[in-house]
Amino acid sequence: MAAAGNGPLGGVRVVELAGIGPAPFAAMLLADLGADVVRVDRPGGAGIGIDPAYDLTNRNKRSVLVDLKAGDGPATVLDLAERADILIEGYRPGVAERLGVGPRACLARNPRLVYGRMTGWGQDGPLAARAGHDITYIAVTGTLSVIGAPDEPPAVPANLLGDYAGGSLYLVAGVLAALHHARSEGGAGQVVDAAVADGAVHLATMLHGMLAAGAWQDRRGANLLDGGCPFYGAYETSDGRHMAVGALEQRFYDEFARLLGLDDETAAARHDPARWAELRDAVAARFRTRSRAEWTALFEGTDACVAPVLSLREAPGHPHLAARSAFTRHGGLTQPAPAPRFSATPGSVRRPPARPGADAAEVARDWDVPGLNGGPAEPARPTDTTHPAAPTRPAGPAHPADPAADRRPS
């Protein structure tokens, strides 16, 4: 295994305008891959309501404080943008422009800059200016409708499907593709418009193909991959825990049915959707006869595609994840290790979560931006729900930026 290192993005400079949700996670991923990420925090913090020392989405970053209400605030951000390869912001459309740090101003200073914009709805369209969260974005895209039992409301998938899968990962893919273009012969910087709603739509590409082919019903809990299939789902065990079953292929299903103890007649219901309810009841009854640990031991080492459903605290102890070092410990915190893995340029957790403003002196030296102010800020208080007010712009009066100015409340 390759030794821990700085990752394949060593030498890439990223400016992150502080916020919450998918933009900080995207910047963390770039930092995990070796980019030098400078997070521009505002006095008072981003307001997510946890001690910054535990905000793992700010690991591997450095933080500076910039008050965008101050006359020199926008100029300081533009100084950073001039020296950066990528800038990421997560405001509602038009807010960065009003703050004096929008794409036009930044690209004027640095024509090769990749300006990544992370919003819920996108930079245009009827909902562009509306507030929202992960759940509202995935609701209108159809992706939320496929999750959960048919006789219950859709299940809420934390903020993993919208914010991080549909938002952060698409932003990262976009800015890296744009960076490749900017560094190519004749290339130039550009704006990347990444929207959670767009990403959530794109994630369902296969389902739309199946729907068009008649292989997917447009209702929850009636399909192969949405819990409608009795051999693709989760079942309760005798101790109130759960086992996950994904025995889709025939050979895997045969092994699953044998180890679970289904008789041949019951197992044959796999081929008759009209009997799936009967099969589901039989599978559920069998799982309720033993504990999760007993079933885990029984299916261990088989191709039945059965696994225990572990909690967040249990997952780091799973033998496979431990052997792969999928979790790491840094600064006293157990946390997911950087992913994916690289044979020649592995990433690593190099720094703990950035304390707001604590790295100003380092960044001022390394990036040659002497106007940065030093000193850590006070941790954000849970009741802090404001965003930075816009600065006084040279050509006109100040533009106040209240909580509604951002893409989501902080």
Side-chain angles (χ1 to χ4, degrees):
M1 181 177 178
N6 290 336
L9 293 184
V12 174
R13 286 180 169 180
V14 179
V15 174
E16 175 200 350
L17 302 186
I20 64 171
F25 188 86
M28 182 208 74
L29 179 50
L30 295 172
D32 283 355
L33 298 181
D36 181 4
V37 177
V38 172
R39 177 177 166 94
V40 179
D41 279 296
R42 65 180 181 86
I48 64 170
I50 67 170
D51 185 334
Y54 294 92
D55 186 359
L56 292 175
T57 63
N58 285 330
R59 72 186 186 190
N60 285 339
K61 304 176 184 179
R62 297 188 288 182
S63 171
V64 300
L65 284 180
V66 176
D67 185 356
L68 287 174
K69 293 185 292 184
D72 60 350
T76 301
V77 171
L78 293 177
D79 285 343
L80 289 167
E82 182 178 351
R83 295 156 173 80
D85 300 292
I86 297 168
L87 183 145
I88 290 175
E89 59 95 350
Y91 300 132
R92 288 199 213 181
V95 171
E97 286 83 350
R98 294 199 301 273
L99 294 171
V101 294
R104 181 174 297 181
C106 289
L107 287 166
R109 292 284 293 273
N110 181 358
R112 287 186 176 270
L113 179 70
V114 173
Y115 194 104
R117 316 198 79 168
M118 184 74 257
T119 62
W121 302 114
Q123 294 298 312
D124 52 38
L127 295 178
R130 291 276 296 278
H133 278 294
D134 177 293
I135 191 169
T136 52
Y137 308 138
I138 66 174
V140 302
T141 64
T143 48
L144 181 60
S145 73
V146 306
I147 304 172
D151 54 349
E152 298 176 1
V156 180
N159 69 329
L160 304 178
L161 176 57
D163 275 355
Y164 294 153
S168 304
L169 298 186
Y170 278 87
L171 177 61
V172 168
V175 297
L176 292 182
L179 180 62
H180 175 74
H181 170 74
R183 290 182 166 184
S184 64
E185 185 177 355
Q190 60 182 303
V191 177
V192 177
D193 175 4
V196 175
D198 292 349
V201 167
H202 195 258
L203 287 169
T205 300
M206 183 189 76
L207 301 187
H208 281 279
M210 295 175 70
L211 184 66
W216 189 274
Q217 297 184 58
D218 196 16
R219 55 191 179 90
R220 187 167 54 260
N223 300 284
L224 194 64
L225 302 175
D226 67 353
C229 169
F231 41 94
Y232 196 89
Y235 291 91
E236 187 176 7
T237 56
S238 64
D239 54 351
R241 299 184 177 183
H242 297 86
M243 298 293 291
V245 177
L248 292 176
E249 294 85 348
Q250 183 67 54
R251 65 185 185 278
F252 301 151
Y253 177 80
D254 289 343
E255 190 162 6
F256 162 69
R258 178 179 62 81
L259 291 170
L260 188 68
L262 297 178
D263 61 70
D264 292 344
E265 173 62 23
T266 301
R270 163 193 172 91
H271 304 290
D272 183 3
R275 296 182 60 200
W276 276 6
E278 170 195 338
L279 177 57
R280 184 187 311 281
D281 289 343
V283 171
R286 289 294 302 149
F287 271 117
R288 284 194 294 268
T289 63
R290 301 187 187 186
S291 69
R292 187 186 69 177
E294 291 174 313
W295 285 118
T296 298
L298 180 66
F299 285 106
E300 185 73 26
T302 75
D303 278 343
C305 299
V306 178
V309 178
L310 302 183
S311 71
L312 292 176
R313 292 190 183 278
E314 291 175 318
H318 188 276
H320 178 80
L321 301 181
R324 296 257 309 161
S325 298
F327 290 85
T328 188
R329 191 164 178 83
H330 187 275
L333 299 177
T334 298
Q335 56 195 281
R341 302 166 190 233
F342 299 85
S343 61
T345 56
S348 64
V349 178
R350 306 175 303 280
R351 302 174 67 100
R355 306 284 298 197
D359 309 300
E362 272 188 22
V363 175
R365 179 196 66 215
D366 296 346
W367 285 43
D368 191 22
V369 182
L372 292 172
N373 295 318
E378 290 297 319
R381 291 188 290 268
T383 55
D384 181 6
T385 58
T386 60
H387 282 270
T392 300
R393 302 178 69 183
H399 299 265
D402 60 20
D406 203 294
R407 60 179 287 276
R408 61 180 71 211
S410 71

